[in-house]
Amino acid sequence: MSDAAVIQAKDVRKVFRRDGHDVEVLKEVSFSIGKGETIGVVGVSGAGKTTLLQILGTLDRPTSGSILFEGEDLSGFSEDRMAALRNRKIGFVFQFHNLLPEFTVIENVMLPCRIAGIDMDKARQRAESLLSEVGLSHRLSHRPGEISGGEQQRAAVCRALAMEPSVLLADEPTGNLDRETASEMVDLLLDINRERKLSLLMVTHNEQAASRLHRVVRIDDGRIAQ
């Protein structure tokens, strides 16, 4: 683990307009993810965990404050430039795998590579290698609805790794799994962290899973609890 920050949030606020009122979801949050670090983000529903993950992952922009990625301030990035950075540098795993049902497992994993312009043969080779690593080499031609929930989530992890990102952001990756499969998913994410030296941030209600990471950050009413 290194202290070098991959992503850094500085005084980030996020305000949503709801029913004619401003709702401040994040309140001057300063936070960083070190290179190769694993972080669990915990807190009650509505505390701001997922909003923080979305802003750190460039899926949303802060109302004020700044996000730095590998030292570069993203505030001036166009949407296209932000999307390109997200495709190359950040992998996402969600509670509901978000695999495209009309595509096969291997086509889903190839998708980020194809979006990035990588040729078909190289994209397929990369996807096959990743799926083999997680024990899904026999599921390449299956569609998501034809495999188990745990297999779907493993395929989603492979898709997140397809572009060899610097950081993996996981939003409740065990929330839709039974206890045994959830534990196996955390094992997989930690193995990936060790083998690839990428940073991992996991938003979770599973305190036991969070305790296995390098550090745990608690969000309380839009602030990082001290």
Side-chain angles (χ1 to χ4, degrees), residues 55-127:
I55 289 175
L56 293 172
T58 76
L59 293 170
D60 199 0
R61 294 181 185 260
T63 303
S64 63
S66 59
I67 300 293
L68 279 67
F69 192 97
E70 295 179 345
E72 189 170 15
D73 192 335
L74 304 184
S75 57
F77 276 37
S78 67
E79 292 302 322
D80 285 347
R81 192 178 177 194
M82 198 85 86
L85 179 145
R86 196 161 50 238
N87 174 254
R88 296 191 322 271
K89 296 282 192 175
I90 305 172
F92 295 91
V93 181
F94 300 99
Q95 176 175 350
F96 300 100
H97 48 79
N98 292 353
L99 298 172
L100 298 178
E102 67 273 23
F103 288 180
T104 64
V105 167
I106 193 167
E107 288 169 343
N108 270 281
V109 176
M110 290 169 61
L111 192 58
C113 298
R114 298 297 292 146
I115 289 171
I118 294 172
D119 70 72
M120 183 73 76
D121 288 343
K122 186 173 181 180
R124 178 172 290 275
Q125 183 179 27
R126 190 177 293 184

Side-chain angles (χ1 to χ4, degrees):
M1 185 177 67
S2 168
D3 291 330
V6 178
I7 304 179
Q8 186 173 10
K10 294 185 175 180
D11 298 325
V12 164
R13 294 178 65 247
K14 183 63 182 180
V15 179
F16 292 102
R17 190 75 174 171
R18 291 176 185 161
D19 299 325
H21 300 284
D22 286 341
V23 179
E24 190 175 23
V25 178
L26 294 177
K27 304 173 182 178
E28 296 184 348
V29 170
S30 294
F31 176 82
S32 64
I33 305 172
K35 185 176 181 181
E37 185 177 22
T38 62
I39 302 172
V41 178
V42 300
V44 300
S45 296
K49 304 185 302 299
T50 293
T51 300
L52 176 62
L53 179 142
Q54 290 174 340
I55 289 175
L56 293 172
T58 76
L59 293 170
D60 199 0
R61 294 181 185 260
T63 303
S64 63
S66 59
I67 300 293
L68 279 67
F69 192 97
E70 295 179 345
E72 189 170 15
D73 192 335
L74 304 184
S75 57
F77 276 37
S78 67
E79 292 302 322
D80 285 347
R81 192 178 177 194
M82 198 85 86
L85 179 145
R86 196 161 50 238
N87 174 254
R88 296 191 322 271
K89 296 282 192 175
I90 305 172
F92 295 91
V93 181
F94 300 99
Q95 176 175 350
F96 300 100
H97 48 79
N98 292 353
L99 298 172
L100 298 178
E102 67 273 23
F103 288 180
T104 64
V105 167
I106 193 167
E107 288 169 343
N108 270 281
V109 176
M110 290 169 61
L111 192 58
C113 298
R114 298 297 292 146
I115 289 171
I118 294 172
D119 70 72
M120 183 73 76
D121 288 343
K122 186 173 181 180
R124 178 172 290 275
Q125 183 179 27
R126 190 177 293 184
E128 284 182 356
S129 177
L130 286 165
L131 288 163
S132 177
E133 285 182 38
V134 302
L136 291 178
S137 56
H138 62 305
R139 297 297 200 192
L140 304 185
S141 61
H142 288 69
R143 285 186 165 77
E146 299 171 335
I147 62 178
S148 72
E151 289 173 328
Q152 290 172 359
Q153 198 64 306
R154 276 185 277 155
V157 170
C158 291
R159 180 184 56 188
L161 297 175
M163 288 297 294
E164 301 174 352
S166 303
V167 61
L168 188 61
L169 302 179
D171 191 1
E172 296 286 0
T174 66
N176 203 37
L177 304 174
D178 62 61
R179 182 176 298 181
E180 182 178 353
T181 309
S183 179
E184 291 171 355
M185 176 55 55
V186 177
D187 290 341
L188 175 61
L189 293 173
L190 291 175
D191 285 345
I192 289 166
N193 164 259
R194 284 190 292 267
E195 293 167 7
R196 289 175 166 78
K197 312 300 182 188
L198 55 69
S199 305
L200 168 66
L201 181 141
M202 182 171 67
V203 166
T204 183
H205 283 100
N206 187 332
E207 300 265 357
Q208 183 178 6
S211 69
R212 298 177 61 189
L213 309 184
H214 291 137
R215 66 181 166 114
V216 177
V217 172
R218 187 171 298 277
I219 302 290
D220 183 14
D221 191 28
R223 302 182 188 276
I224 293 178
Q226 301 299 319

